[in-house]
Amino acid sequence: GFVVGHAGLYQALAMFAVAYFIIGMTVLSVCAIATNGALDAGGAYYMISRALGPEFGGSIGIMFFLANVCGSALYVLGLVEAVVDSFGIPPGQKVGTGVHVLPQSYWYELLYGTVLLALCLLVCLVGASIYAKATFLIFLIVVGVLGTILVSFFATRPIGVPIRLPHFNGSETENGSFTGFSLATLRDNLGGGYGVDYTTGQMMSFSSVFAVMFNGCTGIMAGSNMSGDLKRPSYSIPRGTISAVLFTYLVYNLLAFLMCATCNRTLLQKDYGFLRDISIFPPLVTVGIYAATLSAAMSNLIGASRILYALARDDLFGRALVLAKKTSASGNPVMAVILSWLVVQLVLFSGKLNTIAGVVTTFFLLVYATVNLACLALEWASAPNFRPTFRYFTWHTCLLGIAGCCVMMFLISPVSASASLGFLLLLLLALHYLSPSSTWGYISQALIFHQVRKYLLMLDVRKDHVKFWRPQMLLMVQNPRGSARLIDFVNDLKKSGLYVLGHIELQDLDTLPSDPLQPQQDSWLSLVDKLNVKAFVSLTLAPSVRHGVRQLLFTSGLGGMRPNTLVLGFYDDTAPQDGLARHPAFTSAREEVPLGFPPLRAPADPKLLSAREYVGIVADALKMLRNVLLARQLESLDKAWELRRAASPPPAIHVWPVNLLRPDSARYADTCSLFLLQMACVLNMARAWRRALRQLLKDLRIQAQIQLVPWDAVTRLHWQTPRGPPGGPAPAGVAAEEEEEGAVNFPANATQVSDEYVCAANKLVLEQSPAPAVRFLYLPRPPADTSLYPLYLHQLELLTRGLGPTVLVHGVSAVTSTQL
């Protein structure tokens, strides 16, 4: 009567259509999720949490709990209004007459609501079985009352109905009419005629009437809320929910038409209990109203308690809900029922039904939207294990349900909708950072996999361009205990590119009972989390380190995301230091330091690879057109300290894009030099580059200072030292290679550069002030003659000795562009 009295028949039917369209789409999603596996206690919360993960599930669980709590309070207040309307002392009278003996005031109505809520509490405390029997009995009563009302529309003759309304300190009387079936009455009630709600004194509108009406349709979740108490929830929920939706939709539309055709607008707007006045047996209508509202209040109360119990059992909120875990001997969550009752009691202080209707409707719409979102995510993820036996849904129905819920939320109350979404966002963030990890499975991982696969297929390596080049690092790590700061340093160098931590175990799978790398995977992933680096982990078995690096260079990455730069620690005799225990990520939790990694190699223990094999790895990477970085003493780089002293003077990075081991080179601006410039933004440069480099830096948009470094005294050592290999001239093939490849390759110059010259070059680099945080040096190409590998490594060691954190860089691919 309230809906058709204010909105008219057309708008009432439109409201029912919109409401049941939203509900219908949501029911399809509920049925799909409910038939995809075993359900436990919690209903919609259980479905959402197991589909979308603990963050979404926990936040929506709280919202759904509040929706059921407010819904229970709403129905209790509705029952109070019905009781007061039937037995309350009329406004303006101090003493009641006949059956009208109940005083009317805010506190008296709160008392009546408390008593009725206590009755609901008693039923719910006994258990779900008593509740099920009670609701079945109430269903029979309501069906009987509904039949009586339908008969009354045809059997009752036209009558006038006096309506006493409160007016200031007294009351006034208006006359409503039951005209019987009348075309004139129907015509008058077709359009809207919004007036003042006599219970609250507020002007009604489409949104406010829809908010009240929609609460009468939210019982579709009652069955799913009892999922933990049903014997076969996957069977019962779809059939019971769809039957309830179809039945109530038909009944609502039929009653709306009969009311509009037989009752004038005054009766519909001013007397919400008019069905008693036109019924052939008025007491039965009163009993039906009481039974229906009492059943709805109990349904929401027991639904709220089951949701609260499920939230507590999942430990998403820690000790805050530990009390709600306690159950009776029969398994009834009595403490959750009591806590839910207390919250409903608090909501009763709002006083009037229509006052909280908007908030309740917003909460339910938000929950329905999330149920549709959960089903949509499962469908879009295309997971093979999403195989619901209920197939009458598509992603289109889920999307329509979400859109309908969101639109109606903001039409009903933009303020309530915005506040609800803000509260949901806060809960999401809190659970994301504070809740423990779960084993439910995260739909986000399935969706990410689906999207990443799609975009990796779209990432075409044939369309790569130098303008969009980025470093994609493969860092080889023998033991993370001695490489923590190096791992962190390379993470800063990757510039949003791919970063892979590679590790090689020297074992033969043929001689092992199982893969020894699988147990180590979790330790490496935990390390990545603790160090807060954005890296993947790639482990492999190989007969030698060199073979293992080749495997990783060939196989790491996928599609267009493959490492283009190999990073190695430096090969020297320095004893490894355990930097993991001193790393800031582990200082507050030392019990997590081991992470399953073995102790570091003792200084006296043999190394896993020889100097020749180490240089061979560098040569292999260059043959495979990978850039190479050799990092020395990076474990001595205290990044936090460098950043703290950034004010005075700021930490500098020295970049030497000249091949110091080849002073007779005529080419400076080669690919390797440009790669050095790409790796650093602050540059100190030698004399021959000063004029040309300034324009180059401008074109490359690199902010740097150019500093003149005279090195005549150093190069003089090279020219004055007799050149040639000890014991004979350079091989002819090597000399030919020098002429052919120029400065990019490393010819027999290794034998021509003396230790005295290399030490002088080392001193030149060391004396440049201020002392930088990191030095980048040019890494020459290894010699073609493998017998010269030890000499090559010896010269690198001399060149970088005592320089502190140093990175030797050799680039083989174009990485910079001066064009737009």
Side-chain angles (χ1 to χ4, degrees):
F2 169 82
V3 175
V4 296
H6 287 282
L9 180 61
Y10 290 154
Q11 293 188 36
L13 294 179
M15 288 182 185
F16 292 139
V18 171
Y20 275 87
F21 173 79
I22 294 172
I23 290 169
M25 299 300 102
T26 306
V27 164
L28 296 180
S29 299
V30 168
C31 294
I33 299 176
T35 58
N36 190 51
L39 281 179
D40 207 338
Y45 156 72
Y46 187 86
M47 299 178 191
I48 295 170
S49 62
R50 268 51 179 183
L52 299 184
E55 295 93 346
F56 249 109
S59 54
I60 287 297
I62 291 293
M63 302 293 286
F64 199 26
F65 168 75
L66 294 176
N68 278 274
V69 162
C70 294
S72 180
L74 182 142
Y75 289 117
V76 169
L77 292 173
L79 181 55
V80 169
E81 288 186 8
V83 170
V84 169
D85 191 47
S86 300
F87 303 104
I89 299 174
Q93 296 184 14
K94 296 183 178 180
V95 180
T97 57
V99 296
H100 300 283
V101 294
L102 296 179
Q104 294 190 50
S105 69
Y106 169 81
W107 293 106
Y108 274 112
E109 291 177 5
L110 178 62
L111 175 63
Y112 304 151
T114 302
V115 173
L116 294 172
L117 182 60
L119 177 62
C120 296
L121 173 65
L122 290 177
V123 174
C124 294
L125 283 177
V126 173
S129 58
I130 297 299
Y131 164 75
K133 295 175 182 177
T135 51
F136 182 71
L137 177 62
I138 290 172
F139 171 74
L140 295 178
I141 294 174
V142 170
V143 170
V145 172
L146 182 61
T148 302
I149 291 173
L150 293 176
V151 171
S152 299
F153 279 113
F154 297 91
T156 303
R157 296 181 177 181
I159 57 173
V161 180
I163 306 169
R164 181 170 292 182
L165 300 172
H167 183 70
F168 297 106
N169 293 328
S171 63
E172 61 179 12
T173 302
E174 292 190 25
N175 291 317
S177 298
F178 175 78
T179 63
F181 286 97
S182 168
L183 187 60
T185 303
L186 178 63
R187 190 180 298 112
D188 291 340
N189 289 329
L190 289 178
Y194 295 98
V196 176
D197 175 25
Y198 71 87
T199 64
T200 62
Q202 298 177 352
M203 186 67 185
M204 293 290 100
S205 63
F206 181 91
S207 59
S208 58
V209 172
F210 181 86
V212 175
M213 181 277 300
F214 190 80
N215 286 288
C217 311
T218 56
I220 62 163
M221 287 294 185
S224 62
N225 288 343
M226 298 292 294
S227 57
D229 300 296
L230 298 174
K231 290 183 179 180
R232 297 172 61 192
S234 297
Y235 176 86
S236 303
I237 289 177
R239 287 162 176 77
T241 306
I242 293 175
S243 301
V245 169
L246 293 176
F247 178 75
T248 55
Y249 180 66
L250 293 175
V251 169
Y252 284 164
N253 281 275
L254 178 62
L255 287 177
F257 174 78
L258 293 176
M259 290 175 183
C260 287
T262 58
C263 303
N264 71 349
R265 193 174 294 273
T266 301
L267 181 63
L268 294 174
Q269 281 191 355
K270 306 297 184 180
D271 185 5
Y272 299 156
F274 71 95
L275 289 175
R276 285 193 308 271
D277 302 320
I278 67 172
S279 175
I280 57 176
F281 189 58
L284 187 59
V285 174
T286 302
V287 172
I289 293 174
Y290 294 170
T293 50
L294 191 64
S295 171
M298 284 192 297
S299 172
N300 281 268
L301 178 60
I302 201 167
S305 67
R306 280 357 185 225
I307 295 168
L308 186 64
Y309 171 66
L311 284 167
R313 196 175 58 178
D314 286 338
D315 281 326
L316 294 183
F317 295 90
R319 296 182 180 179
L321 298 179
V322 67
L323 195 62
K325 292 183 181 180
K326 297 184 177 180
T327 61
S328 64
S330 60
N332 185 31
V334 290
M335 291 308 301
V337 172
I338 293 174
L339 291 173
S340 302
W341 166 74
L342 287 173
V343 181
V344 175
Q345 184 63 55
L346 293 176
V347 179
L348 287 180
F349 282 93
S350 61
K352 291 293 181 181
L353 180 153
N354 292 354
T355 305
I356 60 173
V359 177
V360 177
T361 299
T362 301
F363 280 171
F364 273 111
L365 284 171
L366 191 58
V367 173
Y368 293 169
T370 313
V371 171
N372 285 300
L373 177 63
C375 190
L376 177 67
L378 290 170
E379 179 71 7
W380 274 357
S382 302
N385 285 323
F386 182 59
R387 300 188 300 271
T389 57
F390 182 87
R391 298 301 304 168
Y392 302 102
F393 79 101
T394 66
W395 65 268
H396 304 86
T397 61
C398 302
L399 207 57
L400 288 172
I402 295 171
C405 290
C406 294
V407 169
M408 291 312 302
M409 265 199 311
F410 283 94
L411 283 180
I412 291 172
S413 175
V415 176
S416 297
S418 301
S420 300
L421 289 173
F423 182 54
L424 176 64
L425 182 61
L426 287 176
L427 286 173
L428 273 171
L429 293 174
L431 286 173
H432 178 72
Y433 289 106
L434 301 178
S435 67
S437 60
S438 69
T439 58
W440 306 337
Y442 294 79
I443 190 63
S444 58
Q445 296 299 305
L447 291 173
I448 290 170
F449 177 88
H450 186 271
Q451 293 301 106
V452 167
R453 181 191 63 85
K454 180 173 73 173
Y455 285 115
L456 273 175
L457 291 172
M458 295 171 61
L459 190 60
D460 192 346
V461 294
R462 295 169 294 183
K463 298 179 181 179
D464 281 348
H465 194 277
V466 64
K467 289 188 297 185
F468 309 112
W469 182 91
R470 66 182 71 237
Q472 305 198 72
M473 305 290 195
L474 170 61
L475 171 62
M476 299 307 303
V477 180
Q478 177 187 348
N479 192 330
R481 291 179 178 276
S483 309
R485 287 181 175 174
L486 177 58
I487 293 171
D488 193 44
F489 176 77
V490 178
N491 184 64
D492 294 333
L493 273 185
K494 71 181 187 305
K495 189 59 179 176
S496 303
L498 177 68
Y499 184 19
V500 179
L501 297 180
H503 175 70
I504 302 164
E505 286 286 331
L506 300 182
Q507 299 187 59
D508 186 359
L509 191 59
D510 291 339
T511 63
L512 298 172
S514 62
D515 182 6
L517 299 178
Q518 291 299 324
Q520 299 183 29
Q521 192 77 22
D522 288 342
S523 296
W524 283 88
L525 294 176
S526 299
L527 174 74
V528 168
D529 293 338
K530 291 294 289 182
L531 295 181
N532 194 26
V533 296
K534 298 177 181 178
F536 298 95
V537 174
S538 185
L539 312 179
T540 188
L541 292 176
S544 68
V545 175
R546 188 173 182 180
H547 282 85
V549 175
R550 286 177 183 172
Q551 289 179 22
L552 293 177
L553 285 174
F554 277 125
T555 61
S556 292
L558 194 63
M561 295 188 67
R562 292 185 179 277
N564 57 28
T565 303
L566 175 66
V567 186
L568 301 171
F570 197 77
Y571 190 94
D572 56 20
D573 295 325
T574 305
Q577 302 292 325
D578 192 345
L580 206 58
R582 300 192 305 271
H583 195 278
F586 293 93
T587 52
S588 60
R590 291 191 174 274
E591 69 277 5
E592 298 184 28
V593 170
L595 288 176
F597 299 119
L600 287 171
R601 174 182 60 86
D605 293 342
K607 297 182 179 180
L608 294 179
L609 75 167
S610 64
R612 188 182 298 272
E613 188 179 8
Y614 176 82
V615 180
I617 292 172
V618 176
D620 290 344
L622 296 179
K623 290 176 184 177
M624 298 166 69
L625 299 181
R626 302 299 202 275
N627 309 300
V628 176
L629 275 61
L630 304 183
R632 185 172 192 185
Q633 296 186 9
L634 260 297
E635 289 304 305
S636 64
L637 174 63
D638 191 341
K639 178 181 172 182
W641 182 83
E642 292 289 351
L643 294 177
R644 282 197 300 269
R645 74 175 186 93
S648 57
I653 298 175
H654 287 187
V655 181
W656 296 78
V658 59
N659 191 345
L660 293 175
L661 293 185
R662 182 148 186 207
D664 53 346
S665 174
R667 291 181 58 190
Y668 287 92
D670 59 11
T671 301
C672 184
S673 301
L674 294 178
F675 187 80
L676 273 166
L677 293 176
Q678 185 77 353
M679 288 287 100
C681 295
V682 179
L683 180 63
N684 293 323
M685 200 54 213
R687 59 171 185 179
W689 290 52
R690 184 172 183 181
R691 181 173 300 174
L693 182 61
R694 182 178 290 111
Q695 184 61 39
L696 179 62
L697 292 175
K698 181 179 179 181
D699 293 341
L700 295 178
R701 303 169 303 284
I702 295 177
Q703 297 180 1
Q705 292 179 337
I706 301 172
Q707 180 177 335
L708 181 64
V709 181
W711 70 329
D712 293 348
V714 177
T715 56
R716 191 178 300 117
L717 291 173
H718 173 70
W719 297 115
Q720 292 177 358
T721 303
R723 295 185 292 169
V734 177
E737 181 184 341
E738 176 182 358
E739 292 183 7
E740 180 180 343
E741 297 187 13
V744 178
N745 283 332
F746 193 95
N749 197 55
T751 63
Q752 299 174 0
V753 176
S754 67
D755 288 356
E756 183 183 8
Y757 163 76
V758 178
C759 291
N762 169 267
K763 184 178 180 182
L764 175 71
V765 174
L766 187 60
E767 288 177 348
Q768 302 308 310
S769 60
V774 182
R775 291 180 174 88
F776 284 83
L777 300 184
Y778 192 115
L779 174 66
R781 197 179 188 94
D785 186 356
T786 58
S787 64
L788 298 178
Y789 281 1
L791 178 60
Y792 168 81
L793 188 58
H794 170 68
Q795 291 178 348
L796 293 182
E797 195 280 329
L798 287 180
L799 180 63
T800 58
R801 181 180 295 174
L803 295 184
T806 304
V807 181
L808 291 161
V809 180
H810 190 99
V812 296
S813 56
V815 296
T816 57
S817 174
T818 59
Q819 297 179 354
L820 182 63

